[in-house]
């Protein structure tokens, strides 16, 4: 008789592989089905995040930032470098090595924890069964007590700029460019546009970003977004808001892009064009029509707060369901679901999920923005501290940006923290922890922070909430 699994997971991105390892640690018999194949048709674990997302993009961001530092910023430290050069194939090889180290690491962790990895495309059938079709067309049916769909997301495409993988590329194509484009166009000044646009800008491209919206980074706190726009302009990112691309044409090895802005038509020529206009759930052909699983109006698999679909014992987590498309949101949902399957009282705190844009400086946020609180009619107070007043940031010659802390006007409970500045991703995590513990701004203000550290900017912003900052003049509160 065929083996019955406690849990079958479809997809091995951060949602799926973390859930699989956690399930095995909890003593469940678990299989993880993955359709991604490497060049030699072997199963490739890790999903978007490890293969073409978080990890390779950060590898290129780090390499390009080091290059830009050597080229542009060392003279302030009294260091002169006669000639700096970037070896693009070496930079790409380093990135690929990191990806294979990490994806291979997951295979090792699966083995170590006793997770069964199954190569093929999974589909949920009625009664929590999973049909798996491998790349040679053979089909097997897995019998499961519970199924977790973790199928992830894919880039959105737009009709005026169809991806040809040569001149017009998506985020995956932007990770494998073998030479620095002289002129690089980017459609979409969102997270991917800014990160990958920054990589190639640092390496020497002239980068023009065409953003349809009139506002820059509308999901970020408005003060931080304004600060970011100033800093990116200084770095030479040419961000054009209210730009609607209506046509592209590849001719003479260039991409001609026509867009309208304020009612006028404009044309630009680029060597490459990155389309980064969002991602959509990969929810096609994932379940049979009688499975009981449903989609919401935007094509995400419908789930409740506990990631339960409408089919009994079928769950869905990560990018394929509502909410932020972030690796850590995906993996925490996976952990919550398997803990619930194992009988634990687990819940996800969606109010404390940080987001980061890994530009330089980084932009990081948790909780509500000032404009959201205003719209909700919630009374709040803010404390802002500029890195220009941080001894550690000045010592590092890296002092652009601010920390902004927002607390409830009455209770002082921290409602949000928004940072643009050096190591913002790591700094905001301190506030995420504080918020998880229901901390007030005063709790952080009373905490001892080491000196000289960038973290002191978080401390000062917490002090500034009540006009108590030491190293900056306190402003009158709103
Ligand atoms: P995915 O990682 O997309 O994994 C889904 C997996 O399911 C894939 O391996 C897919 O092959 C498999 N699959 C799909 N359908 C089937 C099927 N029917 N059968 C079998 N297998 C199937 N997030 C961050 O938090 N930080 C970052 O710095 C960051 N950087 C990013 C940079 C880029 C360029 C991109 C594109 C994304 C980035 N993200 C980042 C987003 C992050 O990658 C996603 O939020 C995350 O990967 C979602 O995880 P997931 O497991 O839900 O889906
Ligand atoms: P995004 O939503 O961040 O940005 C897309 C941008 O494109 C938006 O500003 C949008 O207004 C604009 N846009 C949409 N249609 C357009 C059009 N036709 N013309 C011009 N502009 C248009 O999406 P993304 O940058 O593609 O990233 C996708 C997802 O991947 C994000 O939601 C994010 O969650 C995830 N991601 C996260 C990280 C990170 O955590 N550091 C990094 C990369 C990607």
């Amino acid at each position: 008789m065929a083996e019955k699994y406690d849990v079958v997971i479809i997809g091995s991105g951060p949602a799926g592989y973390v859930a699989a390892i956690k399930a095995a640690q909890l003593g469940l018999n678990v299989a993880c089905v993955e359709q991604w194949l490497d060049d030699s048709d072997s199963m490739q674990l890790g999903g978007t995040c490890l293969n073409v997302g978080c990890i390779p993009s950060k590898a290129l961001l780090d390499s390009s930032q080091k290059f830009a530092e050597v080229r542009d910023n060392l003279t302030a430290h009294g260091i002169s470098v006669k000639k700096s050069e970037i070896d693009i194939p070496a930079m790409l090889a380093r990135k690929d090595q990191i990806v294979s180290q990490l994806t291979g690491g997951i295979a090792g962790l699966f083995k170590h924890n006793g997770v069964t990895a199954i190569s093929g495309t999974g589909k949920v059938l009625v009664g929590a069964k999973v049909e798996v079709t491998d790349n040679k067309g053979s089909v097997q049916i897995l019998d499961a007590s519970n199924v977790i769909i973790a199928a992830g997301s894919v880039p959105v495409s737009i009709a005026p700029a169809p991806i040809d993988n040569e001149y017009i590329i998506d985020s995956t194509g932007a990770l494998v460019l073998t030479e620095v484009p002289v002129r690089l166009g980017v459609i979409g000044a969102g997270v991917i546009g800014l990160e990958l646009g920054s990589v190639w800008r640092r390496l020497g491209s002239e980068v023009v970003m065409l953003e349809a919206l009139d506002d820059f980074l509308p999901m970020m706190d408005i003060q931080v977004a304004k600060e970011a726009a100033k800093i990116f302009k200084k770095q030479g990112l040419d961000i054009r808001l209210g730009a609607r691309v209506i046509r592209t044409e590849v001719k003479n090895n260039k991409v001609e892009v026509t867009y309208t802005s304020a009612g006028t038509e404009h044309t630009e020529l680029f060597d490459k064009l990155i389309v980064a206009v969002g991602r959509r759930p990969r929810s096609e052909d994932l379940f049979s029509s009688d499975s009981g699983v449903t989609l919401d109006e935007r094509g995400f698999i419908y789930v409740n707060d506990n990631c339960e679909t409408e089919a009994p014992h079928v769950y869905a987590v990560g990018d394929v369901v509502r909410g932020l498309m972030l690796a850590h949101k995906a993996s925490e949902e996976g952990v919550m679901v398997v803990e619930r399957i194992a009988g634990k009282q687990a819940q996800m705190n969606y109010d404390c999920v940080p987001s980061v844009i890994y530009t330089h400086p980084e932009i990081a946020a948790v909780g509500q923005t000032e404009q959201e609180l205003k719209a909700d009619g919630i009374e709040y107070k803010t404390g802002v501290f500029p890195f220009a007043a941080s001894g550690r940031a000045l010592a590092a010659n890296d002092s652009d940006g601010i920390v902004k802390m927002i607390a409830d006007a009455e209770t002082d409970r921290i409602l949000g923290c928004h940072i643009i500045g050096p190591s913002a991703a790591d700094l905001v995590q301190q506030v995420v922890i504080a918020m998880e513990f229901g901390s007030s701004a005063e709790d952080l203000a009373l905490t001892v922070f080491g000196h000289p550290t960038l973290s002191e900017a978080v401390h000062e912003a917490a002090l500034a909430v009540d006009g108590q900052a030491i190293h900056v003049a306190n402003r009158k509160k709103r």
Side-chain angles (χ1 to χ4, degrees), residues 60 155-156 158 161-164 166-177 181 183-201 205-211 245 248 255 257 270-278:
L60 296 190
V156 166
I158 51 169
I163 304 296
D164 63 13
E166 193 176 357
Y167 296 99
I168 307 182
I169 55 182
D170 59 16
S171 57
T172 303
L175 295 170
V176 293
L177 290 178
R183 288 204 90 220
L184 173 67
V186 182
I187 306 183
V191 189
I192 292 181
L194 287 169
E195 289 188 0
L196 295 179
S198 293
V199 165
W200 295 102
R201 171 73 200 134
S205 290
E206 186 187 330
V207 176
V208 176
M209 306 185 70
L210 303 172
E211 165 59 50
V245 174
T248 57
V255 196
V257 178
F270 298 115
D271 298 287
K272 300 280 178 191
L273 178 67
I274 302 174
V275 180
V277 294

Side-chain angles (χ1 to χ4, degrees), residues 60-111:
L60 296 190
L61 277 156
D62 283 337
S63 295
S64 59
Q65 181 57 23
K66 285 189 192 303
F67 177 66
E69 278 281 309
V70 171
R71 187 190 52 201
D72 307 329
N73 294 337
L74 292 188
T75 43
H77 294 272
I79 302 168
S80 64
V81 175
K82 288 280 170 285
K83 194 166 174 228
S84 52
E85 276 179 1
I86 181 84
D87 177 344
I88 301 287
M91 179 183 81
L92 298 180
R94 189 190 84 97
K95 172 207 65 163
D96 292 343
Q97 192 279 326
I98 295 163
V99 168
S100 31
Q101 184 178 335
L102 290 176
T103 52
I106 295 177
L109 287 170
F110 272 13
K111 218 175 242 168

Side-chain angles (χ1 to χ4, degrees), residues 343-359:
K344 291 180 180 263
Q345 292 287 322
Q347 263 187 332
M348 174 92 188
N349 181 2
Y350 288 100
D351 293 337
C352 284
V353 178
S355 332
V356 180
I357 306 179
Y358 291 88
T359 44

Side-chain angles (χ1 to χ4, degrees), residues 48 53-54 57-58 61 153-160 171 186-196 209-219 240-246 275-280 319 323-328 354-359 363:
T48 304
C54 321
S57 60
K58 267 76 249 176
L61 277 156
S153 63
V154 289
V156 166
S157 51
I158 51 169
S171 57
V186 182
I187 306 183
V191 189
I192 292 181
L194 287 169
E195 289 188 0
L196 295 179
M209 306 185 70
L210 303 172
E211 165 59 50
L213 295 179
D214 294 326
D215 293 326
F216 180 55
L217 293 178
M219 70 293 195
R240 301 183 190 170
L241 301 175
R244 281 156 217 282
V245 174
I246 50 174
V275 180
V277 294
R279 293 177 64 82
R280 61 173 180 78
D319 279 11
L324 296 170
M325 285 186 166
L326 295 174
H328 43 284
S355 332
V356 180
I357 306 179
Y358 291 88
T359 44
I363 305 173

Side-chain angles (χ1 to χ4, degrees), residues 6-11 15-16 19-20 23 28 30-33 124 128 130 144-151 286 301 307 309 313-318 320 330 333-339 341:
D6 295 322
V7 189
V8 169
I9 299 169
I10 299 178
L28 302 170
V30 56
C32 183
V33 181
V124 182
V130 175
S145 303
N146 300 279
V147 176
I148 303 176
I149 304 173
L286 255 181
I301 292 185
C307 294
T309 70
H313 303 288
V314 180
Y315 305 81
V317 292
V320 81
E333 283 182 337
V335 168
M336 171 190 69
V337 165
V338 290
E339 285 189 333
I341 289 170

